[in-house]
Amino acid sequence: MDGGAREGTSGRAFWDPAWGAEYLDDFKALSSFGATAGGGVDRQAATPEEAATRTWFAAWLEDRGFTIAYDRIGNLFGMKETVRGAPYILVGSHLDSQPLAGRFDGAYGVLGGAHAAHRAGLALGGQEPRFNLAVVAWFNEEGSRFKPSMMGSSVYTGTIPLEVALATTDRHGVTVRDALALTQQVGDDDVLALDRIAGYVEMHVEQGPDMEANGIVIGPVVGTWCAYKYEVCVTGAQSHSGSTPMADRRDALLAASHLVVELNGLIDEFETEELHTAVGELNVLPNSPVVIAREVRLLMDIRARDTATLRRAFASLEQRITAIEARTHCTIEIISKSTWESGTFPEGGVQLTAQLADELGHTNASTVTLAGHDATNMNEKVPTVLFFVPSVDGLSHAEGELTSDEDMVAGLSLMTNVLHRLAGEGIPTVY
Amino acid sequence: MDGGAREGTSGRAFWDPAWGAEYLDDFKALSSFGATAGGGVDRQAATPEEAATRTWFAAWLEDRGFTIAYDRIGNLFGMKETVRGAPYILVGSHLDSQPLAGRFDGAYGVLGGAHAAHRAGLALGGQEPRFNLAVVAWFNEEGSRFKPSMMGSSVYTGTIPLEVALATTDRHGVTVRDALALTQQVGDDDVLALDRIAGYVEMHVEQGPDMEANGIVIGPVVGTWCAYKYEVCVTGAQSHSGSTPMADRRDALLAASHLVVELNGLIDEFETEELHTAVGELNVLPNSPVVIAREVRLLMDIRARDTATLRRAFASLEQRITAIEARTHCTIEIISKSTWESGTFPEGGVQLTAQLADELGHTNASTVTLAGHDATNMNEKVPTVLFFVPSVDGLSHAEGELTSDEDMVAGLSLMTNVLHRLAGEGIPTVY
């Protein structure tokens, strides 16, 4: 072990401040890829910006003795097989971003996970760890270029067939297969199949305001909100937007606008912040100044803590949709639906995270996640730990996204100890 | 003169049915350019499809003795100087279309105008006409690729500076200048300056249902509705559409949707069909599934018969906008405005059109235009005649746009006689 670090013994968390400084330097370097004028990043999946980020990150891992490989959906793995044939504890997140997004979302968990795995591995050097350590940067977590989000971990866990994912196109008709081939960051086998994974750990920025508001530095995640996501097709009839009598119009954009307003109006039927709804993407056809839209496609997002709330919201929405159809003479059709149900993370992992945070002196309180994460996918298959660090003003998916250096390093010190404990001692009772 | 045509004498309209059959063959050929699977055309300004259409049409004119030239904004002129130095009667419309549009809008008036000028010119052969005849296909009437609409005639009449028009970009950043240069359908002088034009004549499909509903074949246009067009920027704040608390959101798409709904709601404050409102184009930034939109840009279109109605509607809209801003914490800003005021067409031209329609046996009744036309621009500068033929179900800016062969030929026979009368006799009392 380096410098002034405390011993990595059971019940005694260790940390060297020099490791934090080194991490912050690397994070600055990482943030230069796809950097935007507004202080954020723009590196959507399989773009040159994201590919450059992954190339840099793969070199970082190789420099520290990790073996690099890409699986068939472009997930990047860095593996260190210390104990021959032993299962792996996997740590990671994603390096892709939304358009004009923040530097922290995903990237924090990938680089922080890699630093932590590196330090935890070194700290385990004199011991006989039970598990190996591996780092993953999941492909296309954001889903902004290729839908749906969390594509890499969904293929990995078998939720989405590989061929379906590879055939998905962006709005210019480019397939995932072709985009990945261009980056050369894709392989032809599974690399590290799910049955070789003993546990998954991810840290992430909160993307909400609660932890900062309550002075919490570490938030072990106990549960995830459920989310229903609908792709909707609103069909009207194309006509002249000046000369067509108002009574004869079947304006798909008017119907879609009513839908956006009504979806938002749903929240008034529930307790404050009990239900979240949004439309983030909406595309108009033909989208010309003097033409009534014949079609609008949009994505509706409805989230709540429990499925019963979502079902109640959706039942109300269906009534509202029927009224919009009658009023606008358009049809509103749900053409696809993707959901994730509410879930809980293993209690033992939450307890371990809280205990190690306490040992390190980091204020902590358990929390829930409203956003989806690759950890949500992994949690359905293997014991999974997820914890948050605060987001200033709760801002995310925006250039102004911010987590303080102190909070980033706090999370890193915790992750280092979580990996050290899991890989070194196995702690089967955690799960 | 050909075949069985009646004499082209004053007070006695002439027509040969064979000319109609020939026209219909040519119209079928013209409609093959940019033809769509749905029976329409898609040939937006300065695209390869529109350029091919113009190339075909220019050859058609040359074959019939017209001299071809493009002016500096890409308006295509076909001129026949029968009387050296005499002013011209100009006839035409436009060959560009909206995306997935009909075959008739614009193309009918260009090809029909050319056929009419050709036949009227031949009929004038033995006489001493007062004016020459010229045909024009105006550049970019539709405004779908390059805004605003009616660009070619606006530059021609001096409403838009040439340099401003040439610097206008499409959504991919291509300028009008570069797009025209690629087609090679642009010249370096004025070709036929406005002061050489004695009068302008245009025929067009109605794009509304009234003529068909009332059994009218020819509609001399007596007036034009006024229109206010606004480019609007709605500004919110980008954030995560799942995890951001509802109370913290500044959702530009939600605000824009309220605006679309409120703009439509304006019509309830007026008599039925007294006010037309629409949003045809709306673009969301960043337009990603899991991101609250930071900005929406949209185009509002408000039309009425008189300016007082439009002003009253806009005043109400301003109040509604203030309420939307307060409710959504977004700002809604009008960043540009283009208008055309209501106007009337010269009474003498309306009377001549009706008289010749009577002589030809075409049921006719004067009408107004809700849509803008190049004739609206020309009417501000030179004596202008505009008349309509019916649109089946009033449908336009859509692939299903339809005008019957009989009605097209009826308009063509009338246009032939209008041009013959105007060029041959001058009829100064018309205006």
Side-chain angles (χ1 to χ4, degrees), chain A residues 62-339:
Chain A
E62 283 192 313
D63 287 349
R64 282 151 190 86
F66 289 84
T67 302
I68 298 303
Y70 294 91
D71 72 7
R72 293 184 287 177
I73 190 62
N75 295 316
L76 162 59
F77 292 91
M79 298 154 288
K80 201 174 264 182
E81 192 170 15
T82 311
V83 189
R84 194 178 178 90
Y88 281 80
I89 302 292
L90 186 64
V91 62
S93 191
H94 60 94
L95 289 172
D96 68 312
S97 85
Q98 292 285 337
L100 291 193
R103 313 191 293 281
F104 304 86
D105 180 355
Y108 170 59
V110 173
L111 185 67
H115 267 259
H118 170 57
R119 294 297 171 194
L122 292 179
L124 287 163
Q127 308 175 30
E128 282 185 27
R130 291 193 48 197
F131 298 117
N132 293 308
L133 286 168
V135 182
V136 63
W138 299 108
F139 176 68
N140 187 29
E141 194 270 350
E142 294 291 0
S144 53
R145 180 177 177 194
F146 301 105
K147 296 177 192 57
S149 58
M150 311 197 301
M151 181 180 276
S153 56
S154 294
V155 170
Y156 185 78
T157 54
T159 312
I160 299 177
L162 173 67
E163 289 304 320
V164 169
L166 290 174
T168 302
T169 53
D170 68 9
R171 66 190 69 182
H172 303 293
V174 178
T175 61
V176 167
R177 186 189 306 276
D178 289 346
L180 279 173
L182 263 178
T183 66
Q184 301 188 303
Q185 293 174 341
V186 62
D188 49 13
D189 64 31
D190 287 340
V191 180
L192 197 59
L194 192 56
D195 61 9
R196 299 177 63 193
I197 306 299
Y200 176 70
V201 193
E202 181 167 349
M203 64 179 180
H204 206 281
V205 293
E206 183 192 13
Q207 307 181 284
D210 290 348
M211 291 174 63
E212 185 194 34
N214 296 312
I216 304 299
V217 175
I218 298 294
V221 177
V222 295
T224 177
W225 275 32
C226 47
Y228 287 4
K229 298 178 174 205
Y230 301 95
E231 189 180 358
V232 178
C233 182
V234 182
T235 306
Q238 188 167 323
S239 67
H240 194 297
S241 63
S243 57
T244 309
M246 297 302 290
D248 291 350
R249 299 183 183 197
R250 293 175 51 214
D251 184 340
L253 179 52
L254 177 63
S257 297
H258 276 293
L259 181 56
V260 172
V261 167
E262 293 294 326
L263 182 73
N264 180 262
L266 281 181
I267 65 172
D268 298 331
E269 296 180 15
F270 296 83
E271 296 296 316
T272 305
E273 303 298 339
E274 189 182 1
L275 183 78
H276 281 194
T277 70
V279 173
E281 181 170 337
L282 181 147
N283 295 297
V284 182
L285 284 176
N287 210 30
S288 185
V290 206
V291 183
I292 298 294
R294 67 177 181 273
E295 183 180 302
V296 173
R297 292 201 173 215
L298 58 88
L299 293 159
M300 299 194 307
D301 189 315
I302 316 183
R303 302 183 193 217
R305 187 144 195 169
D306 60 82
T307 309
T309 304
L310 276 196
R311 290 211 180 118
R312 192 153 62 88
F314 186 68
S316 172
L317 181 63
E318 281 187 312
Q319 291 185 343
R320 292 169 186 242
I321 284 175
T322 302
I324 296 169
E325 288 180 320
R327 182 174 183 170
T328 61
H329 310 294
C330 294
T331 58
I332 299 177
E333 189 190 0
I334 291 173
I335 53 178
S336 76
K337 176 184 173 184
S338 72
T339 64

Side-chain angles (χ1 to χ4, degrees), chain A residues 98-100 144 207 238-240 242-243 246-247 249 273 276-277 281-283 287-288 290-291 294 396-398, chain B residues 98-100 144 207 238-240 242-243 246-247 249 273 276-277 282-283 287-288 290-291 294 396-398:
Chain A
Q98 292 285 337
L100 291 193
S144 53
Q207 307 181 284
Q238 188 167 323
S239 67
H240 194 297
S243 57
M246 297 302 290
R249 299 183 183 197
E273 303 298 339
H276 281 194
T277 70
E281 181 170 337
L282 181 147
N283 295 297
N287 210 30
S288 185
V290 206
V291 183
R294 67 177 181 273
S396 185
H397 287 187
Chain B
Q98 293 284 339
L100 291 193
S144 53
Q207 307 181 284
Q238 189 168 324
S239 67
H240 193 296
S243 56
M246 296 302 290
R249 299 182 184 198
E273 302 299 338
H276 281 194
T277 69
L282 181 147
N283 295 297
N287 209 30
S288 186
V290 205
V291 183
R294 68 177 180 274
S396 187
H397 286 186

Side-chain angles (χ1 to χ4, degrees), chain B residues 173-256:
Chain B
V174 178
T175 61
V176 167
R177 187 190 307 275
D178 290 346
L180 279 173
L182 263 177
T183 65
Q184 300 188 302
Q185 293 174 340
V186 63
D188 51 13
D189 64 30
D190 287 340
V191 180
L192 197 58
L194 192 56
D195 61 8
R196 298 177 64 193
I197 306 298
Y200 176 69
V201 193
E202 182 168 349
M203 63 179 181
H204 205 281
V205 293
E206 183 192 11
Q207 307 181 284
D210 290 347
M211 292 174 61
E212 185 194 35
N214 296 310
I216 305 298
V217 175
I218 299 294
V221 176
V222 295
T224 177
W225 276 32
C226 46
Y228 287 4
K229 298 178 174 206
Y230 302 94
E231 189 180 357
V232 178
C233 182
V234 182
T235 306
Q238 189 168 324
S239 67
H240 193 296
S241 63
S243 56
T244 309
M246 296 302 290
D248 290 351
R249 299 182 184 198
R250 293 176 50 216
D251 184 340
L253 180 53
L254 176 63

